[in-house]
Amino acid sequence: MSENLKRLSEQGVSIWLDDISRERLRTGNLEALVRDKHVVGVTSNPTIFASALSKGDAYDGQTRDLATRGVDVGEAVRAITTYDIRWAADVLRPVFDVSGGVDGRVSIEVDPRLALDTEKTVAEARALWWLVDRPNVFIKIPATVEGLPAITRALAEGISVNVTLIFSLERYRAVMDAWLAGLEQAKANGLDLSKIESVASFFVSRFDTEIDKRLEKIGSPEALGLRGKAAVANARLAFAAYEEVTAGERWQALKAAGARPQRPLWASTGTKNPEYPDTLYVDQLVTSGTVNTMPEKTLDAAADHGKIDGDTVRPYYEDAWNTMAALKQAGIDYDDVVKVLEDEGVDKFIASWNELLGTVESELRKAV
């Protein structure tokens, strides 16, 4: 076992793998990562599934069956992706049981084309919850304005939710409000709050990519000196907001009724800039009560040379505020940055979903 990943786990960070594929499942690779590299959860998204479907022959048998039955491409995608999610959930079920339902979780995202439609997002969340039919699944709902009431309604029905595509501190606070409202409604509905889990996926590396591009365009020495600092500062301030909210009366009342916290999850943790350390968004975001979901490349880098040395979030709130103030002084429009990132995030997942549909449609045609 990796000592670095062991230390990371001992610091209270749950290590999740940001990837899934039928090949990974059938070869036992996921089981090996759970056994050897402290992986205790899995996240998926349309991009990951599009990549998985485009490689190898692992999906050929199921695709032939779906083609023989004459199902349409949308239902075929649902059948294929939920099959993988169920399998992964079963692999991780022992972790789920040992952790009391905290970890051992597998996430599947609602159709991203529904991100701006509350009613359809809720209906899709219900359908995926029913189709996967595993207690350790998370339904991923994007943190768009239209997604917020869907988050509340899903949680109120007892559906565990991974809130995705969070970039801004303001939107993150709105997500936490939607989470609390969902639990309050679930309590009023007589549900067992201890069975309802949630995480909030705060995206990291994309934030640096967008801000670095703007800093380089500004070009001043002060601006250039801030490259690679924004994402960590933003994430640290998100955790500060989380601590503030969970110290409040609304959460304390729900906690007393058996509710579990909505853990912050660091997503998009693979560094995009090769000049930065490849474990930057692991080493600099270590604090208890969080999740870090990593692509396998980042997981391997953290295992090999990660610098895990105590809490790197809570002691650095003042530094984070200073960084954000310096970015504003340099001419960075935070509100515009996060709007661009959210719009791009939805668009990228829609593009990947359409790619997935196209791949499955092609495979169905070939199978007939």
Side-chain angles (χ1 to χ4, degrees), residues 3 15 27-28 126 157 167 171 226 237 240 245 252 291 293 296 329 368:
E3 284 303 308
I15 300 167
T27 60
R126 289 187 188 119
E157 294 181 20
F167 297 97
R171 183 60 56 81
L226 290 167
L237 293 179
V245 168
Q252 293 301 320
V291 179
T293 188
E296 190 167 18
Q329 182 69 30
V368 174

Side-chain angles (χ1 to χ4, degrees), residues 2-60:
S2 162
E3 284 303 308
N4 286 337
L5 297 178
K6 182 173 184 285
R7 281 199 298 273
L8 187 61
S9 295
E10 288 171 347
Q11 289 289 328
V13 178
S14 291
I15 300 167
W16 291 7
L17 177 71
D18 192 25
D19 190 59
I20 192 171
S21 70
R22 189 75 53 89
E23 186 67 19
R24 191 184 288 282
L25 290 162
R26 73 177 184 178
T27 60
N29 172 264
L30 180 58
E31 290 173 292
L33 292 175
V34 172
R35 182 182 66 244
D36 300 332
K37 291 195 172 177
H38 298 271
V39 169
V40 293
V42 167
T43 47
S44 69
N45 61 47
T47 303
I48 286 169
F49 275 119
S51 175
L53 265 290
S54 68
K55 299 171 185 172
D57 62 358
Y59 296 93
D60 290 358

Side-chain angles (χ1 to χ4, degrees), residues 1-230:
M1 290 189 186
S2 162
E3 284 303 308
N4 286 337
L5 297 178
K6 182 173 184 285
R7 281 199 298 273
L8 187 61
S9 295
E10 288 171 347
Q11 289 289 328
V13 178
S14 291
I15 300 167
W16 291 7
L17 177 71
D18 192 25
D19 190 59
I20 192 171
S21 70
R22 189 75 53 89
E23 186 67 19
R24 191 184 288 282
L25 290 162
R26 73 177 184 178
T27 60
N29 172 264
L30 180 58
E31 290 173 292
L33 292 175
V34 172
R35 182 182 66 244
D36 300 332
K37 291 195 172 177
H38 298 271
V39 169
V40 293
V42 167
T43 47
S44 69
N45 61 47
T47 303
I48 286 169
F49 275 119
S51 175
L53 265 290
S54 68
K55 299 171 185 172
D57 62 358
Y59 296 93
D60 290 358
Q62 188 181 14
T63 304
R64 279 194 300 273
D65 287 347
L66 292 166
T68 300
R69 289 170 51 213
V71 304
D72 67 42
V73 65
E75 286 307 307
V77 167
R78 255 209 196 106
I80 289 166
T81 55
T82 55
Y83 187 100
D84 282 2
I85 295 298
R86 274 192 298 276
W87 191 343
D90 290 343
V91 170
L92 284 158
R93 183 59 189 263
V95 176
F96 175 82
D97 292 337
V98 168
S99 68
V102 174
D103 283 310
R105 297 274 174 172
V106 184
S107 297
I108 184 169
E109 188 151 349
V110 298
D111 182 338
R113 296 172 299 176
L114 311 179
L116 305 181
D117 190 313
T118 302
E119 292 300 323
K120 289 181 179 178
T121 294
V122 173
E124 181 79 353
R126 289 187 188 119
L128 290 172
W129 184 254
W130 177 81
L131 274 168
V132 176
D133 193 27
R134 296 293 188 273
N136 52 328
V137 70
F138 270 134
I139 307 302
K140 290 178 78 174
I141 298 176
T144 56
V145 170
E146 296 82 1
L148 294 172
I151 292 160
T152 295
R153 287 170 58 182
L155 290 166
E157 294 181 20
I159 296 172
S160 292
V161 174
N162 176 344
V163 184
T164 188
L165 287 178
I166 308 172
F167 297 97
S168 82
L169 298 171
E170 180 182 6
R171 183 60 56 81
Y172 180 41
R173 286 185 178 275
V175 165
M176 288 190 284
D177 185 69
W179 160 64
L180 292 171
L183 290 181
E184 287 163 349
Q185 290 179 29
K187 182 183 176 185
N189 293 339
L191 299 183
D192 181 352
L193 298 187
S194 70
K195 304 293 186 186
I196 306 171
E197 279 281 348
S198 184
V199 292
S201 296
F202 204 87
F203 278 53
V204 186
S205 66
R206 293 188 196 183
F207 198 78
D208 266 342
T209 300
E210 179 64 26
I211 286 188
D212 283 0
K213 181 172 65 177
R214 298 182 184 214
L215 291 169
E216 286 162 9
K217 188 174 181 180
I218 293 167
S220 67
E222 293 80 10
L224 295 176
L226 290 167
R227 287 177 299 179
K229 296 182 178 179

